[in-house]
Amino acid sequence: MQMMTRDVLLEMEQEEEDDEDGDIGEQGVPPSGRPFLRPHTLPSSLELDIRDQMMVSSFGTLGSQQDFQSPEFEEFNGQPDSLFFNDGHRRIDFVLVYEDESRKETNKKGSNEKQRRKRQAYESNLIHDGLQLEATRSVLDDKLVFVKVHAPWEVLCTYAEIMHIKLPLKPNDLKTRASAFSNFNWFTKVLQVDESIIKPEQEFFTAPFERNRMNDFYIRDRDTFFNPATRSRIVYFILSRIKYQVRDNVKKFGINKLVSSGIYKAAFPLHDCNFGCPSEDFSCPNERYLLYREWAHPRSIYKKQPLDLIRKYYGEKIGIYFAWLGYYTQMLLLAAVVGVACFLYGYVNRNDCTWSKEVCHPDIGGKIIMCPQCDRLCPFWKLNITCESSKKLCIFDSFGTLVFAVFMGVWVTLFLEFWKRRQAELEYEWDTVELQQEEQARPEYEARCTHVVINEITQEEERVPFTTWGKCIRIALCASAVLFWILLIIASVIGIIVYRLSLFIVFSAKLPKNSNGTDPIQKYLTPQTATSVTASLISFVIIMILNIIYEKVAIMITNFELPRTQTDYENSLTMKMFLFQFVNYYSSCFYIAFFKGKFVGYPGDPVYWLGKYRNEECDPGGCLLELTTQLTIIMGGKAIWNNIQEVLLPWVKNLIGRCRTVSGSEKITPRWEQDYHLQLMGRLGLFYEYLEMIIQFGFVTLFVASFPLAPLLALVNNILEIRVDAWKMTTQYRRMVPEKAQDIGAWQPIMQGIAILAVVTNAMIIAFTSDMIPRLVYYWSFSVPPYGDHTHYTMEGYINNTLSFFNVADFRNRSKGNPYSGLGDHTTCRYRDFRHPPGHPQEYKHNIYYWHVIAAKLAFIIVMEHVIYSVKFFISYAIPDVSKSTKSKIKREKYLTQKLLHENHLKDITKNMGVIAEKIVEAVDNNLRPKLE
């Protein structure tokens, strides 16, 4: 059997540059510096010449037709659950699907012939490199051909060594410690997956596979030594590196490019059975059926996830995602309980809110005339029109808000630290501790390695895709593109602000001006509320549109950067996408929390946007309620939108696909054809799942002081999200190619950054957005002498004390005319600020109350930040990233593995020495015997 060899692999890797973008690769001699793959057999020059002759040299010229090796064509054997070739022995590790050009309805001979020849060259090289192919026509559509790919034992062993895949040496006999909560197993047993249904995986000591040490590995059955996920990984590795065309000394290769150019319709590994019922084949493990029954089915919503089976079936990359999502959801339970308690505290005590009673009181709030909030069109209005808003604000703007903000600062640190420990345990259990040393370079990267540099460590020549100057240019261009899109989002936020200002004028003019307390529109639909709700909805639509556009732009930028490994690629894309999404999703919340109503001047000298639009003002109760509304709309709208995308879209697409093939629905279809009609997950499908959860994590932590129920909403959403994602992957999508992953990648430092920023934002929300600090200053300083008239500390008179007076005739800009003339016979009005009244020597200047409040706010921010940061750093220091037991297990396994390999090596040496000694004795005996005779 001809095997893949080092020189051929190196040449192929260096030429694949267009899997995603479709560009022709750069010219140049394939690099021969740093070895990328290290098989044991090298090809002869004759083999290389034969292979080059088999390549498509141009679009019109081709090697001899008889040089191509084609797959065997076999008829479907009528076994729909079979995962093997027709012989029943060779397992199907991958499936390629193409449309037969000779049977297409619109047969463009030139184009179809080119595609056919490229595919023939590709399949011929697959066969030449040791893979075995079998082709079968579709049962429902005779134009489709399914090429089944099988990797024989020799191929699997060769590439297992190339890819440094860890495989079992011997069963793991380390004893696990009994849990401190083992006495409560009866309580958690109902939440566990039934071990009689999903049996626990046997643990092994593992080591990177080496063919010359094959006897050291735990090989009981060659057919099961490589599990289906590992076999698919190896075959995909080969498929992505096989050449199919050479043109002007530029080679093109890889299954991704062939699929994107339409030469193949799809390429995927097989699900092992139908999700709804187990396979009739007794050799089938029915893992897909078990996952659906015990994980994805709604009746299992309360059970823990079978993470080991998820990892075994889908690979470590998907397994670590669901492990993280499950752990995050568990931690949200604690945050949700505390958040609900704080909400209930505010709800129970809402009737004791003195300042709200003053707003609603007909003799206090009903007699306070407020200044118009816009020019000419906006009327004077009575304070009690905001009665309902003030009652709602009492629920969220309470002492419980402060307690919850401090708690969440500690909670997020506990979550991140305990997740690190859990992640370290998974690294040990799933054999990904040394994954970074095993990861191979991306074919797109290797294809462009044409520049020679000297490695500073080895002092040897190696190939890189671009020089230092070229790398700097790429980084500058990519950073400029990201900055441009961030500025575009900021511009859209400014557009929303202008919209709010314009709409507020319209609503102020159209909505009823007099409140009689009975009309629901007058009670609930105030100009502030109407403006806030409509602006939030429009902001959400703009967020979704920009999100769709930027996703494509970010992928283009990252492809241009050309990261070396798949992990580097995903981390780079992650940072770009999150920077964009951070501004996209959170900009409106930051505006409401920290900018709206902060720079408005006063009625006599208002601040204008663009010289035309007067800045927005907050309600007398502040902007906290509006921030809560914004968070509710964005979080709720985002959850609904994502569920529609994740559930309805693939389900409807699959339904349409089934309807199209309804004519052949009575026919028995094989497993590969059933999987072909499922939806494609995509290489970045998991990336968007992470992004969705991290954006939610930001909402839960950054602005939680304004909305204590955010963790509860996130908890409910995540419980559904886990099962929706599970249902989607097991029933609606093709099986993804299993991939290795050590951790959650760049999302970990992103969450740490959010956790640090959350302390600042929540402290500033309490200080500058809520009215907690002004109320405390009034209660402790301005309600009693020397500033107040009360004999004891009280909140009575707070509203009157925080609203300043303005003389309508004192409008400063006379050239524009007085905007308040013709709106009634009011001579004075009130506005929300701490300024001296008209007639005072320092009229309309900030009074002493203002400076007391500012000092208290700054002091509160400093104290709260330092206290929470101190607790966070102490927790981070006190909780190690890797538990002591996990460290001991890793060291123990490493020691036993080395000892085992060393002992086996000594046994081999002893055995060989014994054989050599016997041969020497025999030779000496043979030489001496004639002399003695």
Side-chain angles (χ1 to χ4, degrees):
M1 179 185 299
Q2 295 289 345
M3 296 301 301
M4 184 72 75
T5 55
R6 174 181 176 181
D7 292 341
V8 174
L9 281 174
L10 284 172
E11 184 178 359
M12 289 191 302
E13 287 173 337
Q14 300 304 333
E15 296 301 337
E16 181 182 355
E17 87 299 342
D18 52 5
D19 282 357
E20 297 298 331
D21 55 16
D23 293 336
I24 299 293
E26 294 182 11
Q27 297 187 22
V29 180
S32 56
R34 174 182 52 78
F36 175 54
L37 303 176
R38 300 180 299 157
H40 294 281
T41 57
L42 297 176
S44 65
S45 58
L46 178 61
E47 290 176 355
L48 293 177
D49 292 340
I50 293 174
R51 291 201 52 181
D52 285 338
Q53 291 175 6
M54 292 168 58
M55 301 300 164
V56 181
S57 58
S58 68
F59 289 115
T61 309
L62 189 67
S64 175
Q65 184 71 25
Q66 62 185 4
D67 292 336
F68 290 108
Q69 302 181 53
S70 300
E72 307 169 0
F73 262 85
E74 298 285 349
E75 294 294 329
F76 172 49
N77 59 10
Q79 300 178 7
D81 295 329
S82 176
L83 302 175
F84 298 88
F85 282 14
N86 276 11
D87 57 17
H89 299 292
R90 292 176 291 174
R91 184 182 182 89
I92 301 172
D93 299 316
F94 227 86
V95 175
L96 310 178
V97 187
Y98 68 88
E99 193 171 10
D100 191 347
E101 292 82 1
S102 63
R103 303 196 181 191
K104 286 184 179 180
E105 295 179 358
T106 56
N107 188 8
K108 298 179 181 179
K109 293 185 178 180
S111 175
N112 291 340
E113 183 65 17
K114 293 173 188 175
Q115 290 190 348
R116 185 181 65 82
R117 294 188 177 188
K118 289 178 184 178
R119 186 176 61 253
Q120 286 179 337
Y122 182 74
E123 292 176 356
S124 180
N125 287 326
L126 291 178
I127 296 172
H128 183 269
D129 286 336
L131 296 180
Q132 297 176 4
L133 309 183
E134 182 181 87
T136 302
R137 288 201 177 273
S138 169
V139 174
L140 302 177
D141 184 358
D142 61 356
K143 293 192 297 294
L144 291 179
V145 177
F146 295 87
V147 180
K148 295 161 284 183
V149 183
H150 169 75
W153 172 258
E154 289 296 327
V155 174
L156 293 173
C157 291
T158 299
Y159 279 92
E161 183 173 5
I162 289 171
M163 298 169 68
H164 309 290
I165 295 176
K166 285 187 175 182
L167 293 168
L169 287 172
K170 63 175 292 188
N172 188 338
D173 55 0
L174 293 178
K175 295 182 180 180
T176 57
R177 297 181 181 179
S179 173
F181 302 98
S182 57
N183 294 330
F184 298 94
N185 284 345
W186 60 270
F187 179 74
T188 59
K189 188 176 181 180
V190 72
L191 304 177
Q192 301 287 347
V193 177
D194 190 349
E195 293 187 358
S196 64
I197 299 175
I198 299 180
K199 298 179 180 180
E201 293 293 322
Q202 184 178 5
E203 295 185 3
F204 291 90
F205 294 127
T206 60
F209 184 78
E210 295 182 25
R211 296 183 68 188
N212 58 359
R213 286 189 169 184
M214 192 176 296
N215 293 332
D216 296 338
F217 288 87
Y218 191 77
I219 305 176
R220 292 293 178 267
D221 184 356
R222 287 190 172 189
D223 293 334
T224 59
F225 181 65
F226 294 97
N227 63 38
T230 304
R231 297 176 69 99
S232 297
R233 261 184 71 208
I234 292 174
V235 172
Y236 180 75
F237 183 88
I238 300 172
L239 294 176
S240 63
R241 285 161 172 80
I242 293 294
K243 295 181 288 186
Y244 64 88
Q245 180 185 1
V246 178
R247 184 182 184 185
D248 299 329
N249 201 29
V250 178
K251 300 180 180 68
K252 299 175 93 174
F253 55 94
I255 188 62
N256 293 326
K257 173 58 183 172
L258 289 169
V259 172
S260 64
S261 61
I263 296 175
Y264 284 102
K265 304 282 287 183
F268 53 90
L270 287 179
H271 283 295
D272 65 350
C273 67
N274 197 313
F275 69 87
C277 57
S279 172
E280 296 179 359
D281 186 353
F282 295 105
S283 63
C284 178
N286 293 311
E287 292 173 349
R288 184 190 186 193
Y289 168 73
L290 293 176
L291 285 172
Y292 175 74
R293 176 181 170 183
E294 300 295 326
W295 179 45
H297 198 280
R299 69 185 175 196
S300 302
I301 195 170
Y302 63 91
K303 290 185 179 181
K304 291 186 176 180
Q305 302 182 84
L307 293 177
D308 288 334
L309 184 58
I310 297 171
R311 170 248 181 172
K312 180 184 177 183
Y313 191 76
Y314 288 110
E316 287 77 6
K317 190 173 183 179
I318 291 181
I320 198 74
Y321 163 73
F322 281 104
W324 171 81
L325 181 56
Y327 197 83
Y328 170 46
T329 304
Q330 292 177 17
M331 291 294 291
L332 275 176
L333 179 61
L334 176 62
V337 170
V338 178
V340 170
C342 293
F343 173 81
L344 292 177
Y345 171 84
Y347 183 81
V348 170
N349 293 283
R350 71 189 188 283
N351 294 326
D352 298 331
C353 190
T354 306
W355 60 272
S356 178
K357 292 180 181 179
E358 292 184 349
V359 171
C360 298
H361 200 285
D363 294 332
I364 301 176
K367 293 185 178 180
I368 295 178
I369 305 301
M370 301 297 294
C371 296
Q373 292 188 315
C374 65
D375 297 341
R376 301 195 183 281
L377 295 178
C378 296
F380 292 93
W381 53 284
K382 293 182 180 180
L383 181 61
N384 65 348
I385 196 175
T386 62
C387 176
E388 293 299 323
S389 298
S390 66
K391 290 179 180 179
K392 296 174 186 175
L393 191 61
C394 287
I395 300 175
F396 298 102
D397 194 2
S398 64
F399 179 72
T401 300
L402 173 60
V403 174
F404 190 56
V406 174
F407 167 79
M408 288 300 293
V410 177
W411 173 87
V412 70
T413 305
L414 290 172
F415 163 61
L416 293 176
E417 293 303 319
F418 282 120
W419 164 247
K420 290 179 186 177
R421 291 167 65 90
R422 176 59 178 153
Q423 188 170 257
E425 293 175 1
L426 292 175
E427 287 178 19
Y428 166 74
E429 294 173 3
W430 293 354
D431 283 328
T432 58
V433 176
E434 298 176 352
L435 180 63
Q436 293 180 352
Q437 302 173 9
E438 307 170 18
E439 190 169 14
Q440 304 289 348
R442 297 168 64 240
E444 295 89 343
Y445 177 90
E446 292 288 339
R448 293 180 180 264
C449 290
T450 57
H451 299 279
V452 180
V453 297
I454 303 298
N455 189 297
E456 296 180 357
I457 299 175
T458 63
Q459 293 299 311
E460 295 179 355
E461 288 186 355
E462 66 176 10
R463 299 271 179 168
V464 294
F466 33 70
T467 61
T468 303
W469 177 244
K471 185 175 182 179
C472 292
I473 293 176
R474 285 173 179 262
I475 293 175
L477 291 175
C478 293
S480 301
V482 173
L483 180 61
F484 168 78
W485 278 92
I486 290 177
L487 293 177
L488 183 63
I489 303 171
I490 295 175
S492 69
V493 173
I494 294 175
I496 290 292
I497 294 173
V498 174
Y499 166 83
R500 297 170 69 103
L501 298 174
S502 306
L503 200 67
F504 182 76
I505 297 175
V506 175
F507 280 135
S508 298
K510 299 295 183 183
L511 291 180
K513 300 178 175 56
N514 299 317
S515 173
N516 54 22
T518 59
D519 191 346
I521 294 180
Q522 293 174 314
K523 277 183 78 175
Y524 299 104
L525 190 58
T526 63
Q528 293 88 350
T529 304
T531 303
S532 175
V533 172
T534 55
S536 297
L537 292 173
I538 293 177
S539 176
F540 170 72
V541 173
I542 292 177
I543 284 173
M544 290 296 113
I545 294 174
L546 290 178
N547 181 32
I548 293 172
I549 298 174
Y550 184 73
E551 284 178 4
K552 302 182 183 301
V553 175
I555 292 173
M556 291 174 58
I557 296 173
T558 309
N559 289 339
F560 180 72
E561 273 186 8
L562 204 62
R564 180 179 179 274
T565 65
Q566 184 64 24
T567 299
D568 294 337
Y569 179 90
E570 292 177 359
N571 290 345
S572 178
L573 180 61
T574 296
M575 295 303 299
K576 292 179 183 63
M577 286 295 296
F578 181 76
L579 284 175
F580 176 85
Q581 299 285 7
F582 184 89
V583 180
N584 200 7
Y585 279 104
Y586 302 141
S587 56
S588 59
C589 295
F590 272 99
Y591 166 72
I592 294 173
F594 306 123
F595 295 99
K596 184 181 177 182
K598 305 299 186 296
F599 311 100
V600 296
Y602 66 96
D605 188 20
V607 177
Y608 289 90
W609 271 77
L610 307 175
K612 180 179 180 182
Y613 298 104
R614 181 170 163 178
N615 267 5
E616 284 186 286
E617 297 183 29
C618 293
D619 288 341
C623 286
L624 191 69
L625 188 61
E626 186 174 345
L627 180 59
T628 303
T629 304
Q630 182 82 355
L631 283 172
T632 306
I633 290 176
I634 292 181
M635 284 189 68
K638 186 172 180 295
I640 295 172
W641 176 268
N642 288 330
N643 285 330
I644 291 174
Q645 281 189 318
E646 293 182 10
V647 177
L648 289 183
L649 286 183
W651 181 79
V652 169
K653 288 180 179 179
N654 287 332
L655 182 63
I656 294 173
R658 287 193 296 268
C659 291
R660 288 178 177 175
T661 58
V662 69
S663 58
S665 60
E666 297 180 357
K667 297 181 181 179
I668 299 176
T669 55
R671 164 59 39 209
W672 50 85
E673 191 155 359
Q674 296 175 38
D675 285 4
Y676 171 70
H677 291 292
L678 296 177
Q679 297 302 306
L680 175 65
M681 182 72 174
R683 296 178 65 183
L684 297 177
L686 201 61
F687 168 82
Y688 298 119
E689 302 293 342
Y690 271 117
L691 183 62
E692 176 188 351
M693 289 296 102
I694 296 298
I695 293 297
Q696 181 206 87
F697 178 79
F699 282 123
V700 168
T701 54
L702 290 173
F703 307 102
V704 75
S706 66
F707 191 35
L709 295 180
L712 178 63
L713 295 181
L715 174 65
V716 174
N717 177 77
N718 287 6
I719 292 175
L720 298 176
E721 180 74 20
I722 292 174
R723 306 303 165 176
V724 166
D725 287 347
W727 172 82
K728 179 177 63 177
M729 287 188 179
T730 55
T731 66
Q732 303 301 311
Y733 284 97
R734 298 171 190 159
R735 188 174 181 177
M736 295 179 65
V737 178
E739 295 182 57
K740 284 277 188 178
Q742 187 176 22
D743 48 37
I744 62 174
W747 301 113
Q748 183 77 27
I750 285 175
M751 287 193 297
Q752 292 173 339
I754 291 176
I756 294 174
L757 181 61
V759 178
V760 180
T761 55
N762 284 304
M764 294 182 68
I765 286 173
I766 294 174
F768 292 105
T769 309
S770 78
D771 263 2
M772 182 175 295
I773 301 301
R775 289 200 300 268
L776 291 175
V777 171
Y778 176 82
Y779 182 83
W780 292 107
S781 298
F782 285 82
S783 64
V784 295
Y787 302 110
D789 301 328
H790 299 281
T791 57
H792 60 281
Y793 298 110
T794 181
M795 285 300 296
E796 294 180 3
Y798 169 74
I799 291 296
N800 186 62
N801 193 269
T802 56
L803 296 177
S804 300
F805 286 90
F806 174 68
N807 190 341
V808 176
D810 291 340
F811 188 68
R812 177 167 296 184
N813 194 340
R814 303 293 181 183
S815 61
K816 291 186 176 181
N818 193 325
Y820 308 135
S821 60
L823 297 179
D825 54 355
H826 303 287
T827 58
T828 61
C829 60
R830 309 290 293 273
Y831 62 98
R832 190 174 185 272
D833 207 343
F834 307 110
R835 295 178 184 268
H836 291 292
H840 192 277
Q842 294 182 337
E843 65 176 2
Y844 304 130
K845 300 292 185 181
H846 289 297
N847 56 26
I848 192 171
Y849 192 0
Y850 171 83
W851 299 111
H852 274 72
V853 170
I854 290 295
K857 288 180 176 181
L858 295 177
F860 170 81
I861 292 174
I862 293 172
V863 171
M864 181 176 174
E865 286 182 358
H866 281 67
V867 169
I868 297 180
Y869 281 140
S870 299
V871 174
K872 285 169 66 72
F873 293 143
F874 173 77
I875 293 175
S876 300
Y877 176 78
I879 302 176
D881 292 348
V882 183
S883 65
K884 186 177 180 181
S885 61
T886 303
K887 286 182 180 178
S888 300
K889 289 178 183 178
I890 294 173
K891 291 179 181 178
R892 175 68 175 163
E893 179 173 347
K894 191 172 183 179
Y895 165 74
L896 292 177
T897 300
Q898 292 176 347
K899 182 180 177 182
L900 177 63
L901 293 174
H902 181 65
E903 289 176 351
N904 290 339
H905 186 56
L906 287 178
K907 289 179 182 178
D908 293 340
I909 293 177
T910 304
K911 183 178 179 180
N912 294 334
M913 291 295 293
V915 173
I916 294 172
E918 290 178 0
K919 290 182 178 180
I920 292 174
V921 171
E922 183 180 353
V924 171
D925 186 51
N926 292 336
N927 290 333
L928 292 177
R929 188 175 298 166
K931 295 180 180 180
L932 293 175
E933 292 178 352

